Amino acid sequence: MKIYAEQIKKGIGSAGLFTFTYCSTIPIGTVFLPYVSAAEIRSAWLKVVVAVIPYFLFIYLLKKTTDKHGTRDVFQLLKSMAPSWIYYIVLVYFFCSALYTCLFGTKSLVIIVQTYLMQATEQHVIMLTYLAIAGISVFYGIKAISRMIIVMFLHDIILIASLALFFFSEDFRWLFVRPVFDFQLLTFMESSISEVSRYGGVVALLAFLPYVDKNVKIINPMATSLFVIMVTYLMVSLLVLGVFGFDQAITLLSPITALMQTATSATGLFERLDLFFLTVWVMSFYKSALIFIWFTSSLLKKLIPFRIKRDWILVSVVTGMIILLSLFTPAITNMGWEPYNINNLVYTLVLPMGIFCYLLVRKNKGQGASDS
Amino acid sequence: MFWRKNKKNRKIPSLSCANYLRSYIAVDEKPPTEIHEVKQHITAIFSNSFDFAKRTFRMRDGCGVFLCFISGISSENDLEEQVIKPLLKQDIRSGDVINQPGTYISVSKFSKPQNWQHLIDAILDGNILLHIDGAEPVILQLADKQERSIMDPTTEYQVYGPKIGFIETSKTNIGILRQFIKDPRLKTLNYQIGTLTKTQVALAYLEEYCQPGMVKYIDNKLTAYNKDSLLTQGELTKLISKDPYSIFPQATLTERPELAAFSLIQGKIVLFVDNTTFCIVAPVTFMDMLETSEDQIFLVPWHLTFLRVMRLVSLFVGTTLPALYVALVAYQPELIPTTLTITVAQSRVQIPLPAAAEAFLMMFALDVLVEASIRLPSFVGQTIGIVGGLVIGQAAVDAGIVSNTMVIVIAFTAIATFTLPSWEFVNSWRIVRYALVISSSLIGLYGLVLAVGFLLVHLCKLESMDRPYMYPIAPFDMKTLLTFFYPKR
Amino acid sequence: MMKLWKWLFFFTLLTAAAGCQLDSREIDHRTMVLGMAIDKTEEGEFIVTVQVPVIVPTEGQLGPSEFETLTQTGATVWEAISNIEAMTPTVLFFGHLKTVMFGETLAREGIGQVLDMLDRRAPLANQVLLLIIRNRIEADKFLSQESPLVNLPALYIERFFKADQKLSRSTDVKLFQYRRDSNLKGNAGLIPLAYSDRENIFIEDMAVFIKESLLAN
């Protein structure tokens, strides 16, 4: 291998941005797909396609904003341009919501691991190991995390490829996936909320962008990644419906795991592929935990008025908070999806879009001096 | 911190050479011209050293001459032929010699020491002190150090590849390197490190290929070295590593000059340390550890592809297989094919130990075997291999201590890790293997996955000098990654 | 300083995790259930039969009689299974369950509830093959039938279907396939039928289920 020193890219490039976007969103969105609000899943595959559109708008606005002001740090921009009380309220809300997302992710991982991998182990053991290891890993900083995500992206490719293979299995029947429109607008809207919130992980980009290399064009990787996410969701919904049929699918805890269970192992290497894929899930959850714990701690860093030199203190505080929260809240099945989805919608879509619009309307810093 | 407080109070008496000399002479002063004085001091300094030789004689005109040197590392023949014989000729007058030593002494190089320190250092280097009464002492550069002739490398075997290896002298090594790269841009810097050992360290790099920042970084580290000794490369690699406490090596050692030359072209630096046959190559990345210089020799490029994929796979297998086995047998037997499950269960039914303990036992036994056989002379080593192989392989199974399948798993694991070219790297993964088995024996497959995730984050965090450790993969570089597996023409 | 914290973290983790190895159960401490047969007595009790391989420390292949069938009855399937567990020195392990068979009597009454129970237990694979045993032979007898070709009857059935015989008059139906089919509008599902005489196992024909109970074959 012949590398000249100057050729080595050391920062976070477009590949890093692509994988970051993908991994921040995919696990929690997929694991319970298409069963989230327990409402209407018959045409879920149509809705995941529709639901991605607002997020493309999100990316577009993000790009516009960063282009206009010449900086990629949206939070910093907001701090300098908006009244400080608005900034702090927004940040506190973001922080709480990110914490909520972490909590939800942890809870869903715990329930999946407990159901499929380790029935007898207590929940808090699963949760503690997961959070502790993720927390320690976040100590290494965002650079290491983004690199690790790139390395492990092979994992996701395997997953997507194996999903695609399902279309050719004899269990899959197109018969089951025809779209059914029952024009109950309320139900449709209600379930659409859950579909939209599947893409919520994208919000972590707000804190990640400042770390991306300056010369990298941000819009292409993000949009491609979003598209791939959409395709993945689409495949999962189609497959779940096509293999199980609607009535069966609605009773499954984690349709994608059940999907994997139907896979016959042609290789004979592993008897039951579902457990193997479960490890893929655990890894995927671990990656998103890294992203979100980091995201939450970076929000906390912005929130604290004085500077804390060591990041690991913040990370431990955040991890500790998640641990405490998960210990004192009931299991995910008793928590209800509705508030989570609505909150997700607000903090990942409505609020950031509002911020972007505000920042776009405001003039550049230099010109807007008299304005404020 | 309370445990750090005491450190300041503990004062280590300074054991420097200069201090020792100071008890006899004023180090910074010029040596006197008076022969007795010099003789007296030097004899005192080198007291109790049987290899220190000195000789006093008078020239024909009665002028005293004092000669001293360390006999093992000086060329005594040359001294006799080129110095003593001319001086003892009939018609020589001492005044002429003092004025124009060059015309009388046929030594190619000589110099006049500036002070006592220089004089002592020169003698220790194997040079000869010549002092004619009334004149300044002269250092005759007749050092003849013990040097081995160049032989083929004994630790890094290759099928093809040149049969030439580095030796213990950094100067000669650089000379070998010059034969590979004939370019003035091959820069070499010399350092003397350690106040006691005064080890010569040579830094070689290719200008325009290597990043200037890297050279500067190494230069700073080397000049700031303040310990009194440097005997091995390990002390140096720990010095230049950014994460010296990581399990993974951030520099590698080689005794193959073509590999060193190849690394130079890659923009790396090479460090030679006197008295060691291995040179340090830095920075290295994860992928560098999987390649040998020989890979480039293959005539068919697919061989390289095959070899590198194989090394990657065996690295993965060698690290995770025991942990996977433990996780599957103890936690998730559903994953093993049914017929194999029955076989494994049959082989395990008489074993008193749980799978995790079995794995630890076998891994430990294997590592002990490897360690024991390394340092033994080859004829004993073979015996150990046979005895160990038989005992661990067959007898342990027959005695019902470990199961058949476990023996297979461990044996394959061991062989797989040794496909890696770098011994340092192999050792790192051997340690990782234990950690993975611990995690999978505690919480099964789930723990194994989390541990692998953590391991990856750690690997990604590492940076060797200026290069990210996982370089062509993350930060992702498609072109470099492809050339790793399939070289360009 | 950070290093110290890390190690502290690790050690608390280790001690926390080391205390609870509840899921750690070696292969040889589990009784692998390869096949299960469920039927009903005339009194309305469930008869559950499981087939387990006998693990003996021999090398090489399994001998011809190295499996055991255990039968118990109970008011529910679950009770019957726990009765069986009481007969074994270790725990029953369903991870490798290959086939579930239903007697014709039970099938005529309806298998919906039993399937629900099976489906909800996670360690069961969705890939379990379903089979209906004709009334010519009792389900538990069928399970203890030795084929001259394959040692374990449960494995025999799996191999039979894996071979995907073109001339066969039957096709394999897995748990999830059956449930999917019977959840459709028609509520109809198919399950292959099997019986055996003293020497051989026959798998032929399909049973038709409407609303979870056997209608015709």
Side-chain angles (χ1 to χ4, degrees), chain A residues 1-13 15-16 109-110 113 116-119 121 125-127 129-131 133-134 136-138 140-141 143-152 268-276 279-280 282-283 286 290, chain B residues 208-211 214 262 265-267 285 287-288 291 296 308 324 328 331-338 443-447 449-458 460-463 466-478 480-481 483-484:
Chain A
M1 199 171 26
K2 198 169 183 173
I3 325 163
Y4 300 124
E6 311 85 60
Q7 287 176 348
I8 296 176
K9 302 167 195 158
K10 281 195 292 184
I12 297 165
L109 174 97
V110 167
V113 169
Y116 291 102
L117 273 178
M118 300 192 289
Q119 288 83 21
T121 310
V125 176
I126 300 174
M127 188 203 68
T129 30
Y130 171 69
L131 282 179
I133 292 182
I136 296 168
S137 313
V138 178
Y140 283 137
K143 224 175 182 177
I145 293 172
S146 80
R147 281 177 191 167
M148 181 268 188
I149 288 168
I150 300 175
V151 175
M152 281 318 284
L269 186 64
F270 288 106
E271 181 75 356
R272 286 185 43 192
L273 279 175
D274 56 323
L275 286 180
F276 177 69
T279 60
V280 177
V282 173
M283 187 54 101
Y286 172 73
L290 293 185
Chain B
E208 292 176 10
Y209 283 67
C210 176
Q211 270 199 342
M214 208 150 71
F262 185 60
I265 296 168
Q266 286 179 332
T285 62
M287 292 304 217
D288 290 342
E291 65 181 21
Q296 304 295 330
R308 289 195 172 165
L324 197 63
L328 291 191
Y331 285 86
Q332 271 88 27
E334 298 98 313
L335 269 168
I336 315 172
T338 308
I443 35 177
L445 209 53
Y446 172 66
V449 172
L450 288 183
V452 169
F454 178 71
L455 179 72
L456 277 174
V457 180
H458 177 78
C460 290
K461 182 249 168 183
L462 287 183
E463 272 182 13
D466 65 332
R467 283 181 203 199
Y469 206 58
M470 300 295 283
Y471 166 56
I473 311 176
F476 189 66
D477 191 341
M478 192 66 180
T480 322
L481 191 62
T483 47
F484 178 77

Side-chain angles (χ1 to χ4, degrees), chain A residues 22 152-163 287:
Chain A
Y22 189 84
M152 281 318 284
F153 195 66
L154 190 69
H155 228 91
D156 294 279
I157 293 173
I158 293 173
L159 191 74
I160 298 172
S162 54
L163 278 179
K287 283 187 285 186

Side-chain angles (χ1 to χ4, degrees), chain A residues 115-116 118-122 125 128-129 132-133 136 139-140 171 173 176 178 242-245 247-248 258 261-265 271-272 312, chain C residues 1-2 5-6 9-10 13 16-17 20 22-23 94-96 98 119 122-127 158 162 174 176-177 179-181 183-185:
Chain A
T115 320
Y116 291 102
M118 300 192 289
Q119 288 83 21
T121 310
E122 282 176 63
V125 176
L128 275 177
T129 30
I133 292 182
I136 296 168
F139 285 177
Y140 283 137
D171 295 328
R173 291 172 196 172
F176 299 121
R178 69 196 188 286
V243 173
F244 293 106
D247 300 277
Q248 171 76 353
Q261 283 188 345
T262 68
T264 38
S265 58
E271 181 75 356
R272 286 185 43 192
W312 64 267
Chain C
M1 193 56 208
M2 187 175 141
W5 266 108
K6 259 193 221 171
F9 226 169
F10 266 125
L13 227 126
C20 24
L22 291 169
D23 276 310
F94 292 93
H96 280 289
K98 294 287 171 199
D119 208 14
L124 278 182
N126 251 330
Q127 287 192 43
E158 195 212 0
K162 253 197 183 152
K174 289 170 190 154
F176 79 96
Q177 284 171 328
R179 283 185 69 80
R180 176 187 65 190
D181 293 344
N183 271 329
L184 281 179
K185 280 226 169 86

Side-chain angles (χ1 to χ4, degrees), chain C residues 9 29 202:
Chain C
F9 226 169
H29 295 157
F202 297 95

Side-chain angles (χ1 to χ4, degrees), chain A residues 62-133:
Chain A
L62 177 58
K63 196 215 171 230
K64 276 281 160 207
T65 315
T66 53
D67 278 0
K68 184 180 175 189
H69 295 280
T71 169
R72 285 176 179 170
D73 197 342
V74 177
F75 289 115
Q76 195 57 42
L77 216 57
L78 188 70
K79 191 178 188 180
S80 63
M81 300 187 86
S84 68
W85 61 272
I86 289 187
Y87 171 74
Y88 280 108
I89 285 176
V90 167
L91 223 57
V92 167
Y93 175 63
F94 264 114
F95 176 71
C96 295
S97 303
L99 213 57
Y100 191 29
T101 312
C102 289
L103 177 65
F104 230 77
T106 313
K107 287 274 174 186
S108 41
L109 174 97
V110 167
I111 196 118
I112 293 234
V113 169
Q114 205 189 22
T115 320
Y116 291 102
L117 273 178
M118 300 192 289
Q119 288 83 21
T121 310
E122 282 176 63
Q123 286 202 350
H124 68 260
V125 176
I126 300 174
M127 188 203 68
L128 275 177
T129 30
Y130 171 69
L131 282 179
I133 292 182

Side-chain angles (χ1 to χ4, degrees), chain A residues 19-30:
Chain A
T19 47
F20 185 89
T21 317
Y22 189 84
C23 293
S24 64
T25 311
I26 210 82
I28 197 165
T30 320

Side-chain angles (χ1 to χ4, degrees), chain C residues 54-96:
Chain C
V54 178
I55 305 294
V56 282
T58 51
E59 285 173 27
Q61 286 294 308
L62 287 171
S65 63
E66 283 169 12
F67 69 91
E68 203 59 60
T69 47
L70 309 168
T71 308
Q72 280 292 324
T73 54
T76 60
V77 175
W78 213 232
E79 201 188 310
I81 289 178
S82 46
N83 282 342
I84 293 172
E85 196 152 31
M87 294 166 69
T88 63
T90 53
V91 294
L92 291 182
F93 171 59
F94 292 93
H96 280 289

